[in-house]
């Protein structure tokens, strides 16, 4: 719900098309979603390295990092998670307007919230990447020891344990990190971006 009234949009002279032309690649939001420990951060870091080497202008937004600043007033209730995703969607949209390929790594457990982000971006500007990994594998990785805490009841409402994760119904890309190596997953995404002409200005 918007509280702002009497506000009028002011256009810039530089359009997104101008930025495409200068950057020589398109902008988009690569939206990684998956359980904690599925590999969203690891994969987005590795992919960003590859894209950077290819001369693509990128930026990475990561759940843990953004919750240190912009979203430090949000917790993990369903409402706060939705607001977290709404804000990141808006930041992603600004970054797309700025001509960047943005990589976001948030659990984003609700399909409705992810669809809402999709709806504010232009067609083909939202690329949903399901980082698929079964709960057992995520839990055995437990890179931050959070599953252990959740099982011990020290964290309430932990995704996959006592809070839901809704699998994407129609993602652009699925990577299976319990079956594929990190390098394979990176390559699947690079191939998608090349095939769909995101990395060149056509
Ligand atoms: N209750 C609960 N459930 C899930 N995750 C939790 C929780 N409490 C803290 N953490 C840590 O916060 C990271 C998830 O933040 P996100 O912003 O990605 O979550 S969400 O999209 O709003 O659901 C998540 O990071 P990742 O492990 O990288 O996914 C955890 O480190
Ligand atoms: N194929 C893989 N892809 C990504 N991560 C993997 C893979 N195999 C093992 N891992 C490990 O799984 C963990 C994933 O943690 P992280 O990237 O923080 O996940 P998330 O951001 O989804 O919580 C890391 O310790 C990473 O080294």
């Amino acid at each position: 719900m918007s509280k702002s009234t009497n506000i009028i949009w002011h256009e810039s002279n530089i359009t997104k098309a101008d930025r495409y032309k200068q950057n020589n690649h398109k902008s988009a939001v690569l939206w990684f979603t998956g359980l904690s420990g599925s590999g969203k951060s690891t994969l987005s870091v590795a992919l960003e390295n590859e894209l950077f080497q290819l001369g693509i202008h990128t930026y990475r937004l990561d759940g843990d990092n953004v919750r240190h600043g912009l979203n430090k007033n949000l917790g993990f209730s369903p409402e706060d998670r939705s607001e977290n995703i709404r804000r990141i969607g808006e930041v992603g949209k600004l970054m797309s307007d700025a001509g960047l390929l943005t990589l976001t790594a948030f659990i984003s457990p609700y399909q409705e919230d992810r669809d809402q982000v999709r709806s504010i971006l232009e067609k083909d500007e939202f690329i949903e990447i399901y980082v698929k990994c079964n709960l057992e594998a995520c839990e055995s990785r437990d890179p931050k020891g959070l599953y252990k805490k959740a099982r011990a009841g020290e964290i309430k409402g932990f995704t996959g344990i006592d809070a839901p994760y809704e699998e994407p119904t129609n993602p652009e890309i699925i990577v299976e990190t319990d079956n594929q190596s990190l390098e394979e997953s990176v390559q699947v995404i690079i191939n998608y971006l090349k095939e769909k002409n995101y990395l060149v200005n056509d």
Side-chain angles (χ1 to χ4, degrees), residues 31-42 62-67 71 74-78 80-85 88 105-110 113 142-144 146-147 150 155-165:
W31 190 277
F32 293 85
T33 172
L35 292 170
S36 177
S38 59
K40 303 178 298 296
S41 300
T42 305
D62 191 284
D64 278 314
N65 300 354
V66 171
R67 282 174 173 277
N71 289 351
L74 299 175
F76 290 92
S77 66
D80 278 9
R81 289 182 197 252
S82 292
E83 175 60 10
N84 183 37
I85 298 315
I88 299 314
F106 294 80
I107 296 176
S108 42
Y110 301 115
D113 295 343
D142 206 5
K144 301 173 208 153
L146 297 178
Y147 282 100
I155 304 177
K156 302 277 181 223
F158 196 78
T159 306
I161 306 296
D162 54 350
Y165 178 78

